[in-house]
Amino acid sequence: MGETHMFEFCYDLLDLAHRYEKSPETKPDFAKHYHDFYELLYFASGECEFVMEDVRCRFYAGDVVFILPGEHHYLDFGSSAAPCESWSLKFGDGAIPEFLITRLSRKDKFYTVTARMKRLLSELDVIADGDDENERGVLAGCKLVELLVELSKTPCSDKPLRKNKTIARIVEYVDAHLRDPLTLADICGELRLSQSYLSNKFSEYMKVSVIQYVRIKKIVAAHRCIVFGERPTKVAKDFGFSDYSTFYRAYMKVIGRSPQEA
């Protein structure tokens, strides 16, 4: 595949990478993609199909997207052989000021890169070459804040977005009922769709089953409650899990660590 890491490092709540792929390929596992942190993704070169929840669009050089925790998304390069260069900046709650998260969460997700963003991203490459891990982590965090301030002041792009109405209805219903013990029958009954139609349509589009999607969204939302100080046993009950052991196993599978380690 020929992937080259221009830089990649983790520090505290930061997970930052600059990658170049000479012949990018769609990664099957990436189709089932979600995480419990924020991500700023910038495409410097290349072309792919980008899917996030119920929205699909064509990604080109200069495109930027801001992804919230729990938002299901993936890249599909298809048969494209064009080289791809990208920056992926992932960060958890507490890595940047809360007002920036609030400001960006209220906007649409897609942007076109500005000259200042490009400069700040190139400065991250310089920071990443530093030998002192603590120093480069702190400096990278400062640079990330600058990037997000710039992003928050940038108009959203007029990129054509293809929205799937059926998927949108499912996503909207699930998001509104995360604290209910949702079943496939519940969703189909509310939306007046057959189980076979809904299951096939959703799996084809999202690359995960409806039940997997519901479980992931519940766990990511529950995780955020725990991070902000709520008791795991209470959170498990609040999100409709019949017993704590079921919640614990699902949490470990989705988050990768126990609720006590959140």
Side-chain angles (χ1 to χ4, degrees), residues 163-183:
K163 197 175 180 74
N164 187 298
K165 293 182 179 179
T166 299
I167 302 300
R169 290 177 66 202
I170 298 169
V171 168
E172 183 179 359
Y173 183 78
V174 170
D175 283 344
H177 295 83
L178 285 179
R179 292 177 181 264
D180 299 334
L182 282 176
T183 65

Short mmCIF file of all heavy atoms in Angstrom, two decimals, residues 163-183:
data_model
loop_
_atom_site.label_atom_id
_atom_site.label_comp_id
_atom_site.label_asym_id
_atom_site.label_seq_id
_atom_site.Cartn_x
_atom_site.Cartn_y
_atom_site.Cartn_z
N LYS A 163 -27.51 13.31 1.07
CA LYS A 163 -28.09 12.85 2.33
C LYS A 163 -29.10 11.74 2.05
O LYS A 163 -30.02 11.92 1.25
CB LYS A 163 -28.77 14.02 3.04
CG LYS A 163 -29.04 13.79 4.52
CD LYS A 163 -29.60 15.07 5.14
CE LYS A 163 -29.89 14.92 6.62
NZ LYS A 163 -28.69 14.90 7.44
N ASN A 164 -28.92 10.59 2.68
CA ASN A 164 -29.83 9.47 2.52
C ASN A 164 -30.99 9.63 3.51
O ASN A 164 -30.79 9.59 4.73
CB ASN A 164 -29.09 8.15 2.77
CG ASN A 164 -29.92 6.95 2.46
OD1 ASN A 164 -30.95 6.73 3.09
ND2 ASN A 164 -29.50 6.16 1.50
N LYS A 165 -32.18 9.83 3.00
CA LYS A 165 -33.33 10.15 3.86
C LYS A 165 -33.69 9.02 4.81
O LYS A 165 -34.03 9.25 5.97
CB LYS A 165 -34.53 10.53 3.00
CG LYS A 165 -34.35 11.84 2.24
CD LYS A 165 -35.59 12.19 1.44
CE LYS A 165 -35.40 13.52 0.71
NZ LYS A 165 -36.59 13.88 -0.10
N THR A 166 -33.60 7.78 4.33
CA THR A 166 -33.93 6.64 5.20
C THR A 166 -32.92 6.52 6.32
O THR A 166 -33.28 6.35 7.49
CB THR A 166 -33.97 5.34 4.38
OG1 THR A 166 -34.97 5.43 3.37
CG2 THR A 166 -34.28 4.15 5.28
N ILE A 167 -31.63 6.60 5.98
CA ILE A 167 -30.59 6.52 7.00
C ILE A 167 -30.71 7.68 7.97
O ILE A 167 -30.53 7.52 9.19
CB ILE A 167 -29.18 6.51 6.34
CG1 ILE A 167 -29.04 5.34 5.37
CG2 ILE A 167 -28.10 6.45 7.42
CD1 ILE A 167 -29.22 3.97 5.99
N ALA A 168 -31.04 8.87 7.45
CA ALA A 168 -31.20 10.05 8.30
C ALA A 168 -32.30 9.83 9.33
O ALA A 168 -32.16 10.21 10.50
CB ALA A 168 -31.51 11.28 7.45
N ARG A 169 -33.40 9.22 8.93
CA ARG A 169 -34.51 8.95 9.86
C ARG A 169 -34.07 7.99 10.96
O ARG A 169 -34.39 8.17 12.13
CB ARG A 169 -35.71 8.37 9.11
CG ARG A 169 -36.42 9.35 8.19
CD ARG A 169 -37.53 8.64 7.45
NE ARG A 169 -38.58 8.20 8.37
CZ ARG A 169 -39.44 7.21 8.09
NH1 ARG A 169 -39.34 6.53 6.96
NH2 ARG A 169 -40.37 6.89 8.96
N ILE A 170 -33.31 6.97 10.57
CA ILE A 170 -32.84 5.99 11.55
C ILE A 170 -31.88 6.64 12.54
O ILE A 170 -32.00 6.49 13.76
CB ILE A 170 -32.16 4.80 10.84
CG1 ILE A 170 -33.15 4.08 9.93
CG2 ILE A 170 -31.57 3.82 11.87
CD1 ILE A 170 -32.51 3.07 8.98
N VAL A 171 -30.90 7.38 12.00
CA VAL A 171 -29.90 8.05 12.84
C VAL A 171 -30.57 9.02 13.81
O VAL A 171 -30.25 9.06 15.01
CB VAL A 171 -28.86 8.79 11.96
CG1 VAL A 171 -28.00 9.73 12.81
CG2 VAL A 171 -27.99 7.79 11.21
N GLU A 172 -31.51 9.80 13.30
CA GLU A 172 -32.21 10.78 14.14
C GLU A 172 -32.98 10.09 15.26
O GLU A 172 -32.96 10.54 16.41
CB GLU A 172 -33.16 11.61 13.28
CG GLU A 172 -33.88 12.70 14.04
CD GLU A 172 -34.80 13.54 13.16
OE1 GLU A 172 -34.87 13.28 11.94
OE2 GLU A 172 -35.46 14.45 13.69
N TYR A 173 -33.65 8.99 14.93
CA TYR A 173 -34.43 8.27 15.95
C TYR A 173 -33.51 7.66 17.01
O TYR A 173 -33.79 7.75 18.21
CB TYR A 173 -35.28 7.19 15.29
CG TYR A 173 -36.16 6.47 16.28
CD1 TYR A 173 -37.34 7.05 16.75
CD2 TYR A 173 -35.82 5.21 16.77
CE1 TYR A 173 -38.15 6.40 17.67
CE2 TYR A 173 -36.61 4.56 17.69
CZ TYR A 173 -37.77 5.17 18.14
OH TYR A 173 -38.56 4.53 19.07
N VAL A 174 -32.43 7.04 16.56
CA VAL A 174 -31.50 6.41 17.51
C VAL A 174 -30.90 7.47 18.43
O VAL A 174 -30.84 7.29 19.66
CB VAL A 174 -30.38 5.65 16.76
CG1 VAL A 174 -29.28 5.22 17.72
CG2 VAL A 174 -30.96 4.44 16.04
N ASP A 175 -30.45 8.59 17.87
CA ASP A 175 -29.85 9.66 18.68
C ASP A 175 -30.83 10.19 19.73
O ASP A 175 -30.42 10.57 20.83
CB ASP A 175 -29.38 10.81 17.79
CG ASP A 175 -28.08 10.51 17.07
OD1 ASP A 175 -27.38 9.56 17.49
OD2 ASP A 175 -27.75 11.21 16.10
N ALA A 176 -32.11 10.22 19.38
CA ALA A 176 -33.12 10.76 20.29
C ALA A 176 -33.54 9.77 21.37
O ALA A 176 -34.21 10.14 22.34
CB ALA A 176 -34.34 11.22 19.51
N HIS A 177 -33.14 8.50 21.21
CA HIS A 177 -33.59 7.46 22.15
C HIS A 177 -32.44 6.61 22.69
O HIS A 177 -32.61 5.43 22.99
CB HIS A 177 -34.63 6.55 21.46
CG HIS A 177 -35.90 7.26 21.10
ND1 HIS A 177 -36.03 8.00 19.95
CD2 HIS A 177 -37.09 7.35 21.75
CE1 HIS A 177 -37.25 8.51 19.90
NE2 HIS A 177 -37.91 8.14 20.97
N LEU A 178 -31.27 7.23 22.82
CA LEU A 178 -30.11 6.48 23.30
C LEU A 178 -30.29 5.95 24.72
O LEU A 178 -29.67 4.96 25.11
CB LEU A 178 -28.85 7.35 23.24
CG LEU A 178 -28.25 7.58 21.85
CD1 LEU A 178 -27.03 8.50 21.95
CD2 LEU A 178 -27.87 6.26 21.19
N ARG A 179 -31.12 6.60 25.50
CA ARG A 179 -31.32 6.16 26.88
C ARG A 179 -32.48 5.17 27.02
O ARG A 179 -32.85 4.80 28.13
CB ARG A 179 -31.55 7.39 27.78
CG ARG A 179 -30.29 8.25 27.91
CD ARG A 179 -30.50 9.49 28.73
NE ARG A 179 -29.29 10.30 28.81
CZ ARG A 179 -28.42 10.24 29.82
NH1 ARG A 179 -28.63 9.44 30.85
NH2 ARG A 179 -27.34 11.01 29.82
N ASP A 180 -33.03 4.75 25.89
CA ASP A 180 -34.09 3.72 25.90
C ASP A 180 -33.49 2.37 25.53
O ASP A 180 -32.49 2.31 24.80
CB ASP A 180 -35.19 4.08 24.91
CG ASP A 180 -35.87 5.41 25.23
OD1 ASP A 180 -35.85 5.80 26.41
OD2 ASP A 180 -36.41 6.04 24.31
N PRO A 181 -34.09 1.27 25.98
CA PRO A 181 -33.60 -0.07 25.58
C PRO A 181 -34.05 -0.41 24.16
O PRO A 181 -34.96 -1.19 23.93
CB PRO A 181 -34.25 -0.99 26.62
CG PRO A 181 -35.49 -0.27 27.04
CD PRO A 181 -35.18 1.20 26.96
N LEU A 182 -33.39 0.21 23.18
CA LEU A 182 -33.79 0.10 21.77
C LEU A 182 -33.59 -1.30 21.20
O LEU A 182 -32.56 -1.92 21.42
CB LEU A 182 -33.00 1.09 20.92
CG LEU A 182 -33.41 2.56 20.96
CD1 LEU A 182 -32.43 3.38 20.12
CD2 LEU A 182 -34.82 2.74 20.41
N THR A 183 -34.57 -1.76 20.43
CA THR A 183 -34.44 -3.00 19.68
C THR A 183 -34.72 -2.70 18.20
O THR A 183 -35.26 -1.64 17.86
CB THR A 183 -35.45 -4.06 20.16
OG1 THR A 183 -36.79 -3.60 19.86
CG2 THR A 183 -35.30 -4.31 21.66
#
